[in-house]
Amino acid sequence: MSNQPHCMIAEDQALIGLALEAYLEEAGFKVSGLFPTNAKALRWLEQDTPDLALLDVMLGDGPCLLLARELKRRSVPFAVYSALPATGDHPPELLDVPWLEKPAKREVVAQTLENLVNASS
């Protein structure tokens, strides 16, 4: 992994995605995305693999479960950033991952992603 961790963002709300991109870049991440749909994110993954990812649960073409499954298959750590509350009844693809409820402070988002990078190093 390089000094600048490569983070994929899957978010269907453009303003939220742009804000995430801006402050993650300020925090030292290289950002790929904003992927508003599973289809676009999975197409990108055909040619690249990030160091980590930040996923909204509900994307423009449905829940992020296919994307989460592919990231887990590749051992890419990810966190969820969603307006949905963190409950114990999530699908298996979303269990045991950090869950941030929108709106989360930018420092919390950056720290959560840094923790993922450090845990996977």
Side-chain angles (χ1 to χ4, degrees):
M1 200 175 314
S2 70
N3 291 339
Q4 191 177 29
H6 185 185
C7 183
M8 168 191 215
I9 298 176
E11 170 61 61
D12 64 336
Q13 294 182 30
L15 291 177
I16 292 172
L18 290 170
L20 287 169
E21 180 181 31
Y23 64 77
L24 289 179
E25 285 177 348
E26 286 175 16
F29 292 88
K30 175 185 174 191
V31 175
S32 289
L34 310 165
F35 300 104
T37 64
N38 285 287
K40 288 184 178 185
L42 290 168
R43 197 168 315 121
W44 180 81
L45 284 171
E46 290 173 3
Q47 308 207 4
D48 208 341
T49 299
D51 297 318
L52 69 158
L54 186 61
L55 310 180
D56 187 0
V57 171
M58 291 303 298
L59 297 172
D61 57 357
C64 69
L65 301 181
L66 288 174
L67 180 55
R69 202 173 301 137
E70 178 61 18
L71 292 170
K72 283 192 171 191
R73 186 184 74 76
R74 295 178 185 213
S75 299
V76 174
F78 64 90
V80 169
Y81 187 64
S82 177
L84 298 172
T87 62
D89 61 349
H90 296 300
E93 294 87 348
L94 302 179
L95 292 177
D96 302 322
V97 300
W99 193 286
L100 302 167
E101 285 188 47
K102 293 178 185 175
K105 291 184 179 188
R106 56 194 280 168
E107 298 82 12
V108 172
V109 175
Q111 186 62 58
T112 299
L113 294 177
E114 286 174 19
N115 291 346
L116 286 176
V117 169
N118 293 336
S120 68
S121 310

